[in-house]
Amino acid sequence: MVIEPAPVVTEPTVAEEQWVLGAEELFRRLATRVADGTYAPGMRLSDKTIAADLAVTRTPVREAIQRLARAGLMEVHASRYSMVTDITVERSRVTREFAAQQSSEIIREAAIGLSEPDLSHTCDLIHRAIDSSITGRGWIEAHVELFTFLTDHALNDLYRLMLSDFWYVIFRDLYLGTPRVSTHESLEELASAMRARDANAGVSAVRKMLQLK
């Protein structure tokens, strides 16, 4: 009897890991680290440091940083370093105003126009966000996924393009890296409002969650 040698299992190289990760996933991981405070406001980072943290090559990191810069989460100082943007009083005010306007429009459109399957999926995403806000694990990803889904299914192509990355900005600037104790209560109110297709109650729940006036 011939005994076949056991297959050799090797760890993926950096290049292979990057191929598996993909440009979009790389961006989401980096954006999440900025939004949840792992990379804190004012922190200076090099392409090399970020690439080592995420086990990827430096070229796609540069592309992701440029995308974060367009969204207002990082500043690029060419050939020197990149820096996570500070959260000033003025920036918080502008972000709050932007969030108030856009979230209200999205919830109104979603409550009225979502199909039943999409509405059911929205409620599933809301409950996932509730769980994450209670445990504190993966809450940025869950909240961004929820509001990105609502944006994609409630607004036109121009709005989707404009808001594609800005939920990371909103939750970073308004939450400062930590979900609030009352967030899950607001999300439960949002779930009830969406099931009832009550746009006004949905807007009220989101404004309460984001502490918008």
Side-chain angles (χ1 to χ4, degrees):
M1 181 177 64
V2 178
I3 299 176
E4 294 291 336
V8 177
V9 179
T10 58
E11 293 295 323
T13 65
V14 170
E16 289 168 340
E17 174 69 12
Q18 165 56 22
W19 180 82
V20 172
L21 196 58
E24 185 64 27
E25 179 62 20
L26 171 60
F27 169 78
R28 288 199 298 268
R29 289 194 188 183
L30 184 51
T32 296
R33 289 189 175 213
V34 173
D36 70 10
T38 300
Y39 295 150
M43 186 175 181
R44 295 185 179 186
L45 297 162
S46 67
D47 300 346
K48 183 178 180 180
T49 298
I50 295 173
D53 284 349
L54 298 176
V56 296
T57 56
R58 294 172 68 177
T59 298
V61 167
R62 295 189 190 101
E63 295 172 358
I65 288 174
Q66 290 293 336
R67 186 171 166 185
L68 286 169
R70 289 193 295 271
L73 285 170
M74 294 193 79
E75 298 173 0
V76 178
H77 299 263
S79 302
R80 296 171 61 199
Y81 59 85
S82 298
M83 185 177 76
V84 180
T85 52
D86 284 323
I87 305 174
T88 62
V89 172
E90 175 62 13
R91 181 189 174 98
S92 294
R93 182 190 66 79
V94 171
T95 301
R96 202 171 297 279
E97 289 181 357
F98 181 83
Q101 179 181 6
Q102 301 304 326
S103 62
S104 296
E105 181 69 16
I106 289 167
I107 295 301
R108 290 188 189 282
E109 293 295 328
I112 296 170
L114 284 182
S115 67
E116 286 300 320
D118 285 342
L119 183 61
S120 177
H121 185 60
T122 295
C123 290
D124 289 341
L125 292 176
I126 292 173
H127 287 295
R128 192 180 307 167
I130 290 171
D131 291 341
S132 72
S133 69
I134 293 172
T135 65
R137 294 192 298 271
W139 74 274
I140 285 289
E141 297 95 321
H143 285 65
V144 169
E145 183 180 12
L146 166 62
F147 282 92
T148 298
F149 180 83
L150 290 172
T151 302
D152 288 346
H153 289 76
L155 301 181
N156 61 39
D157 290 343
L158 180 59
Y159 273 98
R160 286 197 292 272
L161 179 64
M162 182 177 71
L163 293 171
S164 60
D165 299 332
F166 278 94
W167 290 111
Y168 290 103
V169 179
I170 289 170
F171 286 107
R172 196 288 295 252
D173 287 6
L174 301 187
Y175 275 63
L176 306 180
T178 306
R180 301 188 185 99
V181 174
S182 61
T183 294
H184 69 279
E185 297 173 359
S186 301
L187 287 168
E188 287 168 354
E189 293 176 13
L190 177 60
S192 296
M194 295 301 289
R195 283 193 293 268
R197 293 191 180 274
D198 186 337
N200 289 334
V203 169
S204 177
V206 171
R207 292 176 74 88
K208 177 181 176 182
M209 184 184 76
L210 297 177
Q211 294 187 348
L212 305 173
K213 296 180 180 180

